[in-house]
Amino acid sequence: IAREPLNPVDQWRAIERLVALGWTEEAIGIALALPVRQIKKLRVLANVLPAMLDHMAKGDMPGEQQLRAIAAANLDEQRDVWKAQKPKKGDPQVSWWSVANALSKKRMYARDASFGDDLAQAYGISWVEDLFAPADEDSRYTTNVEGFLGAQQEWMTIHLPKRGVITDVNNWGQVVLPPKAERVHGKPGKRDRTAMYLDREGKVQSVHFRLPEPKKAKGADDAEGGDDTIVMAKPRPDVTRNGVEMIGDFRTDALHEALARAPIEDDTLMALLVLALAGRNISVQSGASDDVYGLARMERHAVGLVGKDGKLTFDRDTLRVAARSALIDVLSARENRTNSGIVARFAGDAIGADGFLPTMGTEEFLSCLSRQALERSCKDTSVLPRARVKDTRAALVQHFGERRFVHPSAVFAPTAAEVATWRSKSIVVADEDADATAHDPDIGPGDAEALDDVDLDAIDEAYRVAAE
């Protein structure tokens, strides 16, 4: 092993076999001619998903920075990312950068901490040594970002000097000073103040600033002391950013569960669809305006359905108007970026929109038809095809001058071939499911066979019954 250029995964497996036999890391390092720090670094591979290790053993190894990010994540997170990033049949190379980027967590280093062990224990901070960092520096870190920043904030509050202030940084990482304050870059004077803040790396920084002298009223005592008002620090929010994100996950899961199982009236369901179209995560390129690059303001349709107390409050007429207006903004059959596709034709066929099509027996439209199409348009009319196309077209324009003409290609109802193509593209292909289950370590052969027997119609019926 000491002489053969082995893959790091094979080295790690050899090390683990010696550890299982009771060898110490020092003894393993002597036997394999490896530094003890390298032994510790290779043992980090024990935190890597076995499926990833098998692929690494083939020679496709990530870089040290990428391996550090992968090993720091738990196995469940690694398994989810590996499902999306694992190599395909045509491309056996793994994008380790994408894997590490999906698993990377922000690290706060102990060398940047101003607080001591007492505050670290109070905020639940446990330090982990980064074995991939140089050996001559303090590489301890934590991924508990909220706890780290909270401990730093409390340390600043405890050590805040007299007449000091705790402030923040702006979007460019620059300290935000009180209004009209002038920063002091040299030696601070007796009347200058100190501003403490956390930079983008979480380090405690301090700057000095000077406030303008307050104007004194006439007759005021010149010997009277200046303004000693202390700028109060901004209090920490009740719920941290991490807590807000957790609340968002809880709300989303509960909302989806309620939508699947809770009883919902038809009017409420229609109102919810209008609200969903007005969501911040929805952008609609509307065909209802001339600006094809603009986005529809769907909120104006939903605002009439919600009362001042935030509850759904509407009558049926208001609901109908809101639903119709929202559908007008969303559905489009124009041949530009607002096109909704075949679903707009399904909708038009369902509500009889063919009856609202304008007459197409005009010179402008008929000039877009070929000779064969023009001659087919003469069917069921008294017009006979002429030798010249322009004569046939002029005769049709005269014939349809008093009648309504709709070309067969303009009707909303799609052909059977178009419907079949749309359905084949929209449903989940069975082969793709089989391929996904074949590579899923959580699904065994028996489970994969059971998935083929799933009755999707029965599942839909079960959801329908539960909703009722």
Side-chain angles (χ1 to χ4, degrees):
I1 290 179
R3 290 164 176 78
E4 190 73 19
L6 294 180
N7 184 278
V9 177
D10 295 328
Q11 285 184 334
W12 166 71
R13 287 171 175 165
I15 291 170
E16 291 301 320
R17 284 196 293 270
L18 293 177
V19 171
L21 294 174
W23 287 50
T24 63
E25 293 178 347
E26 290 76 9
I28 296 173
I30 294 173
L32 304 185
L34 292 173
V36 175
R37 185 173 182 83
Q38 181 67 13
I39 299 293
K40 293 179 179 291
K41 186 186 299 184
L42 288 173
R43 296 199 68 191
V44 173
L45 290 172
N47 301 324
V48 178
L49 188 71
M52 290 190 192
L53 287 175
D54 292 339
H55 184 80
M56 293 178 189
K58 298 176 182 179
D60 187 7
M61 285 292 298
E64 282 195 2
Q65 296 287 343
Q66 297 161 352
L67 184 58
R68 175 194 305 178
I70 294 171
N74 60 53
L75 291 180
D76 291 335
E77 293 175 342
Q78 294 183 39
R79 185 177 293 108
D80 293 339
V81 173
W82 184 247
K83 286 181 181 179
Q85 300 291 341
K86 61 186 177 182
K88 307 297 187 294
K89 295 179 180 178
D91 186 13
Q93 194 78 12
V94 174
S95 175
W96 291 114
W97 179 88
S98 301
V99 174
N101 188 52
L103 293 172
S104 60
K105 296 181 179 179
K106 185 171 178 60
R107 294 183 174 188
M108 311 303 291
Y109 288 92
R111 59 177 178 267
D112 298 333
S114 299
F115 55 87
D117 295 337
D118 51 346
L119 283 178
Q121 184 177 0
Y123 280 85
I125 299 173
S126 58
W127 302 112
V128 180
E129 185 178 0
D130 184 1
L131 298 173
F132 294 91
D136 57 348
E137 69 178 30
D138 184 4
S139 61
R140 294 175 301 150
Y141 70 91
T142 179
T143 56
N144 184 5
V145 178
E146 297 293 341
F148 183 93
L149 297 179
Q152 291 281 70
Q153 194 83 10
E154 184 166 341
W155 185 90
M156 287 193 300
T157 303
I158 296 173
H159 296 83
L160 187 67
K162 184 180 179 181
R163 294 161 49 85
V165 54
I166 296 177
T167 184
D168 292 322
V169 295
N170 57 22
N171 295 334
W172 296 273
Q174 299 172 341
V175 61
V176 178
L177 296 177
K180 299 182 181 181
E182 178 185 356
R183 183 169 177 176
V184 178
H185 295 279
K187 185 178 179 180
K190 292 182 178 180
R191 299 190 61 82
D192 293 337
R193 303 187 179 188
T194 302
M196 301 180 71
Y197 65 97
L198 297 178
D199 62 13
R200 290 182 172 179
E201 301 299 325
K203 300 178 185 178
V204 175
Q205 305 286 359
S206 63
V207 297
H208 300 285
F209 65 94
R210 182 178 301 136
L211 291 175
E213 292 292 336
K215 295 182 179 180
K216 297 181 180 180
K218 284 186 177 182
D221 186 4
D222 293 338
E224 185 178 356
D227 182 19
D228 288 335
T229 304
I230 298 178
V231 182
M232 298 299 295
K234 185 174 69 174
R236 193 181 182 202
D238 294 338
V239 182
T240 63
R241 181 62 188 174
N242 189 33
V244 172
E245 292 176 356
M246 292 175 64
I247 291 174
D249 293 339
F250 296 152
R251 283 175 173 170
T252 302
D253 294 340
L255 177 62
H256 293 174
E257 188 74 11
L259 288 172
R261 301 176 57 186
I264 305 176
E265 298 292 337
D266 291 343
D267 289 353
T268 304
L269 194 61
M270 189 186 302
L272 292 179
L273 288 173
V274 176
L275 292 178
L277 292 174
R280 194 172 59 181
N281 60 334
I282 301 295
S283 60
V284 178
Q285 286 79 34
S286 176
S289 64
D290 295 332
D291 184 9
V292 298
Y293 294 99
L295 299 179
R297 294 183 296 107
M298 304 302 296
E299 295 88 351
R300 58 197 173 105
H301 307 309
V303 69
L305 306 178
V306 181
K308 294 182 179 180
D309 56 354
K311 306 291 184 182
L312 283 178
T313 307
F314 55 84
D315 53 45
R316 183 159 292 189
D317 291 337
T318 302
L319 177 60
R320 289 195 187 100
V321 171
R324 288 173 181 264
S325 301
L327 290 172
I328 289 172
D329 265 345
V330 172
L331 294 176
S332 170
R334 302 187 192 280
E335 289 299 320
N336 53 31
R337 72 194 300 263
T338 69
N339 195 346
S340 303
I342 197 172
V343 294
R345 296 177 61 184
F346 292 149
D349 183 46
I351 61 177
D354 286 338
F356 295 86
L357 287 172
T359 181
M360 302 177 186
T362 61
E363 177 72 24
E364 182 180 9
F365 178 78
L366 293 179
S367 62
C368 301
L369 301 182
S370 64
R371 174 187 288 273
Q372 294 80 5
L374 276 175
E375 292 178 354
R376 285 196 297 269
S377 299
C378 295
K379 186 180 178 181
D380 299 330
T381 68
S382 60
V383 177
L384 295 176
R386 307 294 201 268
R388 295 191 305 175
V389 173
K390 62 182 299 185
D391 295 337
T392 305
R393 183 166 56 247
L396 285 174
V397 171
Q398 184 179 4
H399 174 78
F400 292 125
E402 302 276 332
R403 300 175 182 83
R404 179 172 175 269
F405 168 67
V406 175
H407 194 268
S409 63
V411 297
F412 280 90
T415 63
E418 291 173 325
V419 174
T421 302
W422 176 76
R423 287 179 58 85
S424 64
K425 290 182 179 179
S426 301
I427 62 176
V428 178
V429 182
D431 293 341
E432 294 181 0
D433 285 345
D435 182 66
T437 56
H439 298 284
D440 195 333
D442 296 333
I443 299 179
D447 296 331
E449 294 174 1
L451 287 176
D452 295 336
D453 299 331
V454 173
D455 189 351
L456 298 179
D457 292 336
I459 293 177
D460 292 341
E461 179 66 16
Y463 273 111
R464 186 187 65 80
V465 173
E468 289 180 354

